[in-house]
């Protein structure tokens, strides 16, 4: 069975500090991977997707970047956090164009 | 691009009542998925229903593709059903997924 993990579970960071959020999926090779962001009380927005190692497509620009250094790993990062980056970050995978499955999420608070 | 609207925005029920949630989308959809988002934020897939009617437990989803709408019926609601219900549609032939605005359901004991 496939499992998807996200780390950390929660982060409190200062404005201007760097950020790195991770997502790993186990039990599935070459998954399509996705990053989503949700502001408190807001709609889920897709940020990035990746269909293969080293290839990432941006959907919404939020002064964030993503990378896929390994087949089972998807990283979301920025060198300088903004207050507007606060929210809930979700990683998901999608087998062959069908349903999406989500990780447990990372709650980020930027102060 | 694809737009997804859900209604009602919020709904309050007494335990045991039924709920009817709606999802309307602006462009043709070959896939549609309903999710439950807990108050803590985690998402759970409920149903994948691109067309027709599907049942699982107390949930029934009916999607009328040509009318670009889908509904989610929750029968005999329970307090544990409280949370936000989201529909999501990936536009055809792309990896871009659009989520609806959500329906916040509160079931009172």
């Amino acid at each position: 069975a496939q499992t998807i993990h996200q780390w950390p579970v929660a982060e409190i960071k200062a404005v201007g500090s760097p950020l790195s959020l991770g997502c790993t999926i186990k039990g599935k090779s070459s998954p399509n991977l996705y990053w989503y962001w949700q502001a408190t009380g807001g709609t889920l927005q897709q940020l990035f997707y990746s269909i293969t190692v080293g290839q990432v497509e941006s959907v919404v620009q939020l002064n964030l970047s993503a990378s896929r250094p390994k087949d089972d790993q998807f990283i979301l990062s920025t060198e300088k956090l903004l207050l507007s980056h606060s929210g809930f970050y979700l990683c998901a995978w999608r087998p062959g164009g069908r349903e999406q499955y989500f990780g447990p999420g990372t709650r980020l608070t930027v102060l | 691009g694809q737009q997804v609207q859900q209604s009602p925005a919020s709904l309050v029920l007494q335990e045991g009542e039924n709920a009817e949630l709606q999802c309307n989308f602006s462009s043709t959809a070959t896939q549609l998925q309903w999710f439950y988002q807990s108050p803590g934020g985690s998402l759970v897939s409920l149903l994948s229903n691109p067309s027709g009617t599907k049942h699982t437990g107390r949930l029934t989803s009916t999607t009328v593709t040509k009318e670009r709408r889908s509904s989610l019926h929750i029968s005999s609601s329970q307090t544990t059903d409280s949370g936000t219900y989201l529909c999501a549609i990936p536009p055809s032939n792309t990896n871009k997924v659009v989520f609806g605005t959500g329906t916040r359901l509160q079931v009172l004991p």
Side-chain angles (χ1 to χ4, degrees):
Chain A
Q2 297 83 16
T3 56
I4 185 165
H5 302 277
Q6 287 187 243
W7 71 92
V9 173
E11 277 266 48
I12 300 175
K13 304 275 280 185
V15 169
S17 63
L19 174 76
S20 181
L21 303 180
C23 171
T24 295
I25 180 163
K26 298 297 183 187
K28 171 69 178 175
S29 61
S30 302
N32 289 1
L33 295 174
Y34 306 81
W35 275 113
Y36 291 86
W37 169 75
Q38 185 179 37
T40 302
T43 304
L44 265 169
Q45 292 186 63
Q46 187 180 358
L47 300 177
F48 300 94
Y49 69 89
S50 171
I51 60 174
T52 192
V53 174
Q55 185 181 38
V56 176
E57 298 292 332
S58 172
V59 178
V60 173
Q61 288 288 343
L62 283 180
N63 293 307
L64 296 167
S65 61
S67 64
R68 184 144 175 203
K70 300 179 185 178
D71 186 54
D72 64 350
Q73 200 172 80
F74 205 16
I75 306 296
L76 185 70
S77 61
T78 182
E79 292 187 2
K80 270 189 157 181
L81 277 166
L82 306 171
L83 282 174
S84 57
H85 286 138
S86 291
F88 196 56
Y89 290 83
L90 285 157
C91 180
W93 74 286
R94 183 168 156 222
R98 296 198 301 271
E99 302 174 12
Q100 279 201 317
Y101 298 93
F102 283 80
T106 295
R107 190 160 300 279
L108 174 67
T109 303
V110 182
L111 303 174
Chain B
Q2 178 73 270
Q3 294 184 35
V4 182
Q5 293 290 331
Q6 290 186 244
S7 60
S10 63
L11 185 60
V12 180
L13 299 175
Q14 292 292 328
E15 195 167 30
E17 292 182 325
N18 299 330
E20 188 84 13
L21 284 55
Q22 301 292 334
C23 174
N24 291 279
F25 41 100
S26 59
S27 306
T28 302
T30 57
Q31 184 56 270
L32 184 145
Q33 197 170 355
W34 283 96
F35 291 90
Y36 166 77
Q37 186 171 33
S38 70
S42 61
L43 259 72
V44 174
S45 177
L46 298 174
L47 281 168
S48 178
N49 186 22
S51 65
T53 299
K54 281 196 175 181
H55 304 274
T56 182
R58 295 181 293 108
L59 304 178
T60 301
S61 173
T62 299
T63 299
V64 184
T65 309
K66 63 180 180 181
E67 295 182 12
R68 299 176 189 162
R69 61 178 175 86
S70 181
S71 65
L72 181 69
H73 181 87
I74 306 171
S75 63
S76 304
S77 62
Q78 301 173 0
T79 56
T80 51
D81 293 333
S82 296
T84 301
Y85 291 79
L86 301 167
C87 68
I89 296 167
S92 301
N93 302 319
T94 73
N95 271 288
K96 298 180 183 179
V97 181
V98 178
F99 273 83
T101 48
T103 293
R104 184 166 294 183
L105 175 65
Q106 185 180 9
V107 182
L108 303 175

